[in-house]
Amino acid sequence: MSSLLHVVGARPNFMKVAPVLRAGAAVPGLRQYLVHTGQHYDAAMSDRFFADLGLPTPDVNLGVGSGTHAVQTARIMLEFEPVLDRLTPDWVVVYGDVNSTVACALVAAKKGIRVAHVEAGLRSRDRTMPEELNRLLTDQLADLCLTPSRDGNDNLRAEGIPDVRVKLVGNVMVDTLLTLRDTAHELGAPAAHGVAGAPYAFVTFHRPSNVDHPDVLGEILGALDDLAAQMPVVFPIHPRTRQRIADFGLGALARRVTLLDPLSYLETISLVEQATLVLTDSGGLQEETTVLGVPCLTARANTERPVTVTEGTNRLIPSKRDGINRAVAEVLTRRAEGAFHPGRPEGWDGRAGERVIAALVAD
Ligand code: UD1
């Protein structure tokens, strides 16, 4: 084994590749390539993450940009194939569940190049989520499924993927969080946004199921308006969500909310760490709040990260104004009782990147 080609494309991939690249750099003679598909391309969605995470400039940027799922996935495949022909790595390492993940896994698998999937085995069992289709297909294609938690191994076994192709390595996102937590704390983002020293809520919403329907988005924004009457609500907003609020004419409901452009990784962690509660539909924030011991309310019917509920601070709630308000009130009561403590599921220990590399080098 002498070369790895890591593929990233969208914001949540960047935090996952960083500890793996770092662990790989410590292996003598190992050649590593970093390919960015360009699925995310705004400075706020991409470049600032590379800077915060100390990632190298990608060897190749495919520059695919936005499009429908079919267009985006197809463009990634078309652009990736010649790169693979040129670099001929021993392994293609894909991360998470975005369109870039499945597109590059498929190209590599068809060329007989081995595929490793980091963050394998997660399942929401909701096939209306584009990410769920990406997860199912990528794990079927992968020669090595590297899971973040034991439920991932169980899910893969139930789908007939043999145990020899599966390895529990733990959570690479947590490696990054533990590495940069102190730096994020020192950044003091709460003070910079005028919310230090008092209760505030940190909010993100970007899933199509929450933001692409005016009635659902209206319910969520209504709840945020109610919450803003109690404490500042800091909402760094994904470009997709900002666009939908404008399209649906819902701007008035967001008047009392502090809407920010997308934040960097360090600013995000700095704000999450001190928040009274987090209200979100993000996957990564469910994990980060668990490790930080910050209560998290996830407005989704399901989660592919069940350990954040059973061992962490996360709770699933409906995307309804009344349901959100009730859940917020319960969190504030429980918080006053000191009921939230940091959770560390198995393998969420800051060494997952090293275990990914160990698994690849051993094979
Ligand atoms: C993607 C992932 C999702 C992940 C999210 C994190 C898939 C299927 N979805 O969703 O799992 O949680 O990233 O952010 O891969 N846009 C910009 N600038 C950018 C990127 C996107 O303005 O740099 C806008 C475009 O209008 C684009 C829209 O956001 O059409 C959606 O982007 P896209 O990459 O298709 O999906 P995300 O919603 O970001």
Side-chain angles (χ1 to χ4, degrees):
M1 200 270 314
S2 59
S3 62
L4 306 178
L5 186 157
H6 304 272
V7 176
V8 293
R11 188 168 56 174
N13 293 155
F14 308 140
M15 291 77 102
K16 294 169 192 165
V17 79
V20 182
L21 274 173
R22 200 167 48 246
V27 177
L30 178 64
R31 179 79 170 98
Q32 299 195 93
Y33 301 103
L34 180 61
V35 172
H36 189 332
T37 65
Q39 176 173 343
H40 284 175
Y41 44 86
D42 285 347
M45 301 291 283
S46 181
D47 297 359
R48 288 177 69 196
F49 283 78
F50 272 67
D52 275 4
L53 298 164
L55 287 171
T57 305
D59 295 282
V60 183
N61 191 321
L62 305 179
V64 299
S66 301
T68 66
H69 285 271
V71 165
Q72 189 174 60
T73 308
R75 264 197 216 134
I76 296 168
M77 292 178 70
L78 282 171
E79 298 296 329
F80 186 54
E81 182 168 40
V83 172
L84 212 44
D85 287 340
R86 181 160 60 82
L87 300 177
T88 61
D90 297 300
W91 284 95
V92 167
V93 190
V94 295
Y95 294 81
D97 55 16
V98 302
N99 287 342
S100 303
T101 311
V102 67
C104 294
L106 183 53
V107 174
K110 288 212 169 177
K111 287 187 168 292
I113 295 178
R114 287 185 293 177
V115 174
H117 182 204
V118 175
E119 200 183 85
L122 298 189
R123 296 291 181 270
S124 66
R125 304 201 164 69
D126 174 3
R127 291 198 184 195
T128 65
M129 274 182 92
E131 293 83 359
E132 183 72 355
L133 300 177
N134 294 343
R135 293 180 198 118
L136 282 159
L137 296 173
T138 304
D139 286 336
Q140 284 296 332
L141 294 166
D143 297 276
L144 195 50
C145 292
L146 300 165
T147 62
S149 47
R150 208 162 279 284
D151 53 289
N153 297 54
D154 299 339
N155 292 333
L156 295 170
R157 194 171 301 122
E159 288 167 21
I161 296 179
D163 287 350
V164 292
R165 276 173 48 202
V166 181
K167 191 161 181 55
L168 175 66
V169 291
N171 192 322
V172 286
M173 188 91 130
V174 173
D175 290 13
T176 295
L177 177 61
L178 297 178
T179 304
L180 291 176
R181 182 184 181 166
D182 290 347
T183 312
H185 181 77
E186 283 156 23
L187 190 66
H193 291 284
V195 293
Y200 67 91
F202 184 85
V203 172
T204 76
F205 282 96
H206 74 285
R207 297 233 167 264
S209 57
N210 277 328
V211 307
D212 284 1
H213 311 280
D215 45 343
V216 181
L217 187 54
E219 291 277 330
I220 290 170
L221 291 174
L224 297 186
D225 189 51
D226 297 337
L227 181 54
Q230 300 177 61
M231 63 178 75
V233 174
V234 179
F235 185 178
I237 192 161
H238 189 288
R240 168 192 209 104
T241 310
R242 189 182 282 285
Q243 187 62 45
R244 294 295 182 268
I245 292 175
D247 292 347
F248 302 150
L250 292 170
L253 271 178
R255 234 186 26 247
R256 289 198 282 182
V257 171
T258 307
L259 289 184
L260 305 175
D261 285 333
L263 295 174
S264 73
Y265 179 73
L266 289 173
E267 285 174 309
T268 303
I269 297 303
S270 182
L271 278 160
V272 168
E273 187 208 21
Q274 309 274 326
T276 304
L277 76 147
V278 167
L279 187 51
T280 191
D281 59 10
S282 150
L285 278 174
Q286 296 174 52
E287 300 177 338
E288 287 152 350
T289 49
T290 278
V291 173
L292 295 170
V294 175
C296 181
L297 296 173
T298 301
R300 284 179 46 189
N302 46 61
T303 179
E304 60 289 329
R305 293 164 161 91
V307 291
T308 63
V309 177
T310 54
E311 297 181 44
T313 57
N314 189 24
R315 196 180 135 199
L316 300 182
I317 60 165
S319 301
K320 290 273 182 200
R321 187 172 190 158
D322 286 354
I324 296 172
N325 288 346
R326 259 197 307 278
V328 167
E330 282 167 29
V331 163
L332 296 180
T333 307
R334 284 187 60 206
R335 228 197 126 107
E337 295 162 357
F340 294 94
H341 304 287
R344 284 287 178 89
E346 181 185 5
W348 294 29
D349 59 356
R351 315 285 302 263
E354 292 167 30
R355 288 188 289 269
V356 168
I357 290 295
L360 291 169
V361 171
D363 222 283

